[in-house]
Amino acid sequence: MNVNQFPDRIIKIDKEHYLYFGGTAYLGLPTNKEFQELVIKNIRNWGTTYGSSRSANIKLTAYKNGETFLAHHIKAESAVTVSSGMLAGKLVIDALKKQTDSFFHFPNTHPAIQIKDSLPVFINGNINPRLSDSQSEKITVLTDGVSGFQTKGIDLSILATISDHKEITLLIDESHSLGILGQNGCGIYSEIDLPIKRKIMISSLGKAFGLNGGVIASDVAFINEIKNLDIFISAAGMNPAFVQTLADAELLYKMQHQKLLENLNYIDRKLIKNQSIKFDKNYPLIYLEDDNLIETLKANKIIIANFKYQENTNNLNRIVITANHLYEDLDKLVGILNQ
């Protein structure tokens, strides 16, 4: 379907209006007037783009302001922005290749943090025997904050059972948990308390946070390693107007996060739970097992996310709730799901 304007809670298709429950604008910021004014103000101050290296002799204070906010929000020692979440993942993987003997991954890990020859954490539902043996090695575990087709943060407790002979680094992609889970949408990074050497998070900022870019957060030493990588030095940074907007929008992020939680609690009170609908009141996605519901929703002027996300996987039938949806929108949606 081709559309000629940003799809917020309403989407216009072939001159007809539909309720829209798709996309990834969880906090509803791309169409938020106050947020747009912050972006416009910062574009006027910082321009539309800045093609210079972050390591050039001229340093823009926008980066310090936005990255200080991100580190504080995520509750990490340090953070650095890059032009996309995908680049954030690839930069971290490049850095970790030099200090990792073996990589392991949780199921359905996003391509941003995939690496060839990585081994599965689980085999037939049990921990990979390689993680329990007595071989001393440095390992990196790769995971998404919320795995595909799931509505809860990843359970990392299995890491506590890994052999003491392994020095563990954890890399977590929080593109679909930053801005959503945790206090004020801080994500799950700060809650990870496991016997590991280092934890690193990467995330797209183009989803909940409403701005094209990516972030890497970890301890100061690791973020400094990232800043010294050839690819980081030679690449242009995230748009400085956008990075400054991150800092300026701190209160707005909190307000929109609260609105999102209120919408999710409203659904939780109204929705009749059944096995064909996967929903958790703390997460803004509803997964549908019944493909027939897609056409029923469309017939009732409701469009959801329905596409094949990765090769050799089932169609993604996903209802996305945002901070911008009104209770009347949710009533219509839930009324159909409850039939």
Side-chain angles (χ1 to χ4, degrees):
M1 303 176 196
N2 295 316
V3 297
N4 296 316
Q5 63 187 56
F6 187 88
D8 187 29
R9 50 173 287 271
I10 301 293
I11 187 171
K12 190 175 181 180
I13 301 172
D14 296 330
K15 299 182 180 180
E16 291 195 64
H17 290 89
Y18 294 76
L19 285 177
Y20 184 58
F21 289 92
T24 58
Y26 303 116
L27 299 183
L29 290 167
T31 58
N32 182 286
K33 298 303 181 186
E34 187 177 348
F35 188 72
Q36 288 177 347
E37 288 303 317
L38 290 177
V39 174
I40 291 166
K41 179 196 74 171
N42 282 316
I43 286 175
R44 287 185 177 133
N45 189 51
W46 294 106
T48 58
T49 188
Y50 186 67
S52 180
S53 168
R54 289 288 306 275
S55 296
N57 56 314
I58 299 298
K59 310 293 184 188
L60 305 188
T61 56
Y63 290 112
K64 179 182 178 182
N65 297 338
E67 289 166 358
T68 298
F69 159 72
L70 284 171
H72 177 75
H73 186 78
I74 296 165
K75 302 179 183 178
E77 282 187 12
S78 185
V80 65
T81 55
V82 293
S83 58
S84 73
M86 183 65 75
L87 179 59
K90 297 306 180 186
L91 281 170
V92 172
I93 291 291
D94 275 355
L96 293 178
K97 282 179 186 175
K98 304 166 188 174
Q99 48 197 267
T100 299
D101 297 315
S102 300
F103 286 87
F104 294 83
H105 61 271
F106 276 75
N108 302 315
T109 300
H110 192 276
I113 57 170
Q114 287 180 7
I115 185 170
K116 185 181 178 183
D117 299 327
S118 176
L119 303 170
V121 169
F122 298 101
I123 296 178
N124 297 325
N126 297 312
I127 190 169
N128 190 323
R130 276 286 308 277
L131 293 170
S132 303
D133 65 29
S134 59
Q135 179 182 344
S136 295
E137 58 181 339
K138 297 177 179 180
I139 69 167
T140 294
V141 177
L142 312 169
T143 186
D144 289 356
V146 180
S147 296
F149 299 93
Q150 299 300 314
T151 56
K152 293 184 178 180
I154 191 76
D155 181 1
L156 297 171
S157 58
I158 192 73
L159 300 187
T161 69
I162 292 176
S163 166
D164 292 341
H165 297 277
K166 315 296 182 184
E167 183 181 276
I168 306 169
T169 293
L170 174 68
L171 171 56
I172 183 166
D173 184 339
E174 290 218 54
S175 295
H176 295 279
S177 50
L178 180 63
I180 303 169
L181 298 179
Q183 183 181 14
N184 295 321
C186 68
I188 64 178
Y189 173 90
S190 63
E191 299 171 2
I192 299 169
D193 184 17
L194 291 161
I196 60 179
K197 179 194 175 187
R198 167 175 280 160
K199 57 182 180 178
I200 306 160
M201 74 83 78
I202 65 108
S203 178
S204 166
L205 296 170
K207 301 186 181 358
F209 274 34
L211 297 161
N212 284 343
V215 60
I216 304 165
S218 189
D219 55 84
V220 172
F222 185 76
I223 296 304
N224 286 337
E225 283 183 43
I226 293 295
K227 291 178 179 178
N228 287 316
L229 288 175
D230 288 344
I231 293 177
F232 180 85
I233 292 169
S234 60
M238 182 177 167
N239 185 327
F242 290 175
V243 184
Q244 180 63 51
T245 300
L246 290 166
D248 295 346
E250 180 176 4
L251 293 178
L252 194 52
Y253 285 132
K254 291 180 180 178
M255 289 171 52
Q256 292 299 105
H257 181 253
Q258 184 59 38
K259 287 182 182 179
L260 177 61
L261 293 183
E262 289 168 3
N263 277 347
L264 296 178
N265 280 319
Y266 186 80
I267 290 174
D268 188 58
R269 294 195 300 270
K270 301 267 187 170
L271 182 66
I272 299 171
K273 313 302 188 297
N274 66 70
Q275 291 185 340
S276 66
I277 297 174
K278 184 181 288 187
F279 170 71
D280 183 275
K281 68 177 181 179
N282 297 307
Y283 200 65
L285 302 184
I286 302 174
Y287 286 101
L288 303 180
E289 301 289 340
D290 184 357
D291 287 339
N292 294 324
L293 268 174
I294 310 299
E295 291 306 316
T296 302
L297 289 166
K298 188 175 179 181
N300 284 273
K301 297 292 185 70
I302 294 177
I303 299 293
I304 71 169
N306 169 235
F307 62 99
K308 190 175 286 294
Y309 187 61
Q310 293 185 29
E311 192 176 356
N312 301 321
T313 61
N314 294 329
N315 272 0
L316 190 70
N317 300 327
R318 184 171 72 187
I319 296 169
V320 181
I321 313 302
T322 77
N324 287 353
H325 283 118
L326 306 178
Y327 284 172
E328 63 193 63
D329 305 336
L330 305 180
D331 283 337
K332 184 172 182 179
L333 173 70
V334 171
I336 295 167
L337 296 181
N338 282 346
Q339 288 177 6

